[in-house]
Amino acid sequence: MSYVDETLARVKQQNPDQPEFNQAVYEVLESLRVVIEKNEDAYRRDALLERLTTPERAIMFRVPWVDDKGQVQVNNGYRVQFNSAIGPYKGGLRFHPSVNLSVIKFLGFEQVFKNSLTGLPIGGGKGGSDFDPKGKSDREVMAFCQSFMTELCKYIGADTDVPAGDIGVGGREIGYLFGQYKRIRDLYEGVLTGKGLSYGGSLARTQATGYGLLYLTDEMLRCNGKSLEGKTVVVSGAGNVATYAIEKAWQLGAKPVTCSDSNGWIYDPDGIDVDTLIEVKQVKRARLTEYAKARPNSVYHEGKGVWSVKCDVALPCATQNELLLDDAKLLVANGCFAVAEGANMPTSLDATAYLQENGVLFCPGKASNAGGVATSALEMSQNSQRLSWTFDEVDAKLKDIMVNIFHNLDAAAKEYGMEGNYVAGANIAGFLKVADAMNAQGIV
Ligand code: NDP
């Protein structure tokens, strides 16, 4: 049996109840097959794939807190420190009821390659909790964040592990988490990114993932003789990534016509209005039905459905496995020619294969959404230097990073005979740097 197949079987056997983690490992190792096979004996001798697919550390902890009725609630907390070969662990915290060890491990594993692709010195990690901030008062969110950080602070630090936001963790949560870290550890250091501007945050971090997604998409289209100008774009999600993807799509001359949340979705024939979206989701923390009330030309639909809208470019920006085979078929039938992932692993394996087989340009999230973590790394640099760069400085660096990422994965795909396969290109380019660093550091 080949080393890749042995590893896939071992990961499945050791983690039978972790479907998301198995899915992520399968996607990566399948596309690394050609690289591994060239050097199979050495990699096998060094157990490189065993080490790559096993987190350096996985911390699980109890998070007790008191709700507004005086009832004690208990959630599960996680931090998976996956790989520190190229820098301190770096990756977001997700607060969502669907969080479990499988989800955090898949995200941490993906993060290793994504962070490598940015070209910046950051290792991979991820964390979170099954806590649901929705419907909770600010005091309840603060109580939860303080309890979560009371345990997490033992394992993180500006040169060890630097978490950030993800689903359910925005500016409010990062603020409460940072305050508690500082209080317990008595250290004012850049231990979290995505901080507010008044206490060490970076300009453009809020916009970075969405903007970065569009910078990379724009470059991918240009290199394939196309452009965003005048194109119809379909976006899922209505959170941080989706909102700023929509804003940048407008700025690059495209027309984004949809967004969605966990209850339903909006089609706006005039294009999604960013101010209204921000007012509904960030200020009022309300449902998208409120968007439809504010924009009478738009239509609200319950449930899922954005992929049924005719478009040129599709940007899944909500969550994992939200674009399935039937959705891919609809996109192709409707003439969509490019899909770039804003979320992590939003497209299932069979849907990805279908899109690629039908000539759709497809960029995986670990490349196309890397602008968030890249700008987090820029926030770390500013914190270390006690400096704040301007919005334009950060935005220009972000754009350079995204354009470079695209060219690196494009070149890697070409070098290994898979021109245009950006999934393979991203995995290979990300892997080679991590493998080289692991090799140089001995068996650790
Ligand atoms: P937010 O919490 O800001 O927004 C998430 C959006 O997706 C919300 O509109 C939410 O709906 C919707 N959503 C969440 N879960 C589901 C679900 N199970 N079904 C349908 N809709 C759902 O998160 P982000 O925008 O930060 O993150 C979105 C994706 O991007 C995630 O995959 C994340 O890992 C990834 N990502 C984020 C980065 C960042 O910098 N923030 C960086 C790189 C990747 P509702 O409003 O109802 O909650």
Side-chain angles (χ1 to χ4, degrees), residues 94 134 166 168 205 209 238-241 262 281 287 318 343-344:
R94 176 176 293 191
K134 253 191 229 127
D166 189 75
R205 172 61 188 91
T209 309
N240 173 269
V241 180
S262 33
K281 297 303 289 188
R287 314 309 311 167
N344 285 311

Side-chain angles (χ1 to χ4, degrees), residues 94 96 98 106-107 111 114 126 134 165-169 205-206 208-210 236-243 260-263 281 286-288 304 316-320 322 342-346 365 369-373 376:
R94 176 176 293 191
H96 192 270
S98 63
F106 118 64
L107 290 164
Q111 196 82 41
K114 180 191 307 196
K126 199 84 188 187
K134 253 191 229 127
D166 189 75
I167 291 180
V169 179
R205 172 61 188 91
T206 307
T209 309
S236 66
N240 173 269
V241 180
T243 302
S260 66
D261 66 12
S262 33
N263 292 27
K281 297 303 289 188
R287 314 309 311 167
L288 283 175
K304 296 182 172 190
C317 296
T319 192
Q320 64 269 13
E322 53 158 325
N344 285 311
M345 210 169 73
N369 70 29
V373 74
S376 277

Side-chain angles (χ1 to χ4, degrees), residues 9 36 48 80-81 88 164 188 210 212 302 319 414:
I36 303 293
L48 187 91
V80 172
Q81 299 178 329
Y188 205 108
E302 276 295 319
T319 192
K414 283 179 182 148

Side-chain angles (χ1 to χ4, degrees), residues 264-284:
W265 58 284
I266 291 282
Y267 171 68
D268 190 335
D270 303 326
I272 297 291
D273 184 67
V274 177
D275 291 340
T276 308
L277 184 60
I278 289 177
E279 176 66 22
V280 170
K281 297 303 289 188
Q282 292 180 26
V283 181
K284 294 187 181 157

Side-chain angles (χ1 to χ4, degrees), residues 29-90:
L29 293 197
E30 270 304 322
S31 56
L32 290 181
R33 205 175 270 280
V34 45
V35 183
I36 303 293
E37 278 168 7
K38 270 193 170 172
N39 211 359
E40 181 154 311
D41 291 345
Y43 285 145
R44 196 197 291 268
R45 185 195 59 223
D46 292 345
L48 187 91
L49 294 185
E50 285 85 339
R51 288 188 287 140
L52 197 69
T53 54
T54 306
E56 289 176 16
R57 197 174 294 111
I59 301 144
M60 293 192 274
F61 49 97
R62 181 173 72 199
V63 192
W65 56 282
V66 183
D67 72 16
D68 284 348
K69 296 189 188 108
Q71 175 65 47
V72 175
Q73 302 285 345
V74 180
N75 286 100
N76 298 307
Y78 304 88
R79 185 72 184 166
V80 172
Q81 299 178 329
F82 223 108
N83 191 304
S84 61
I86 62 173
Y89 310 105
K90 181 93 198 82

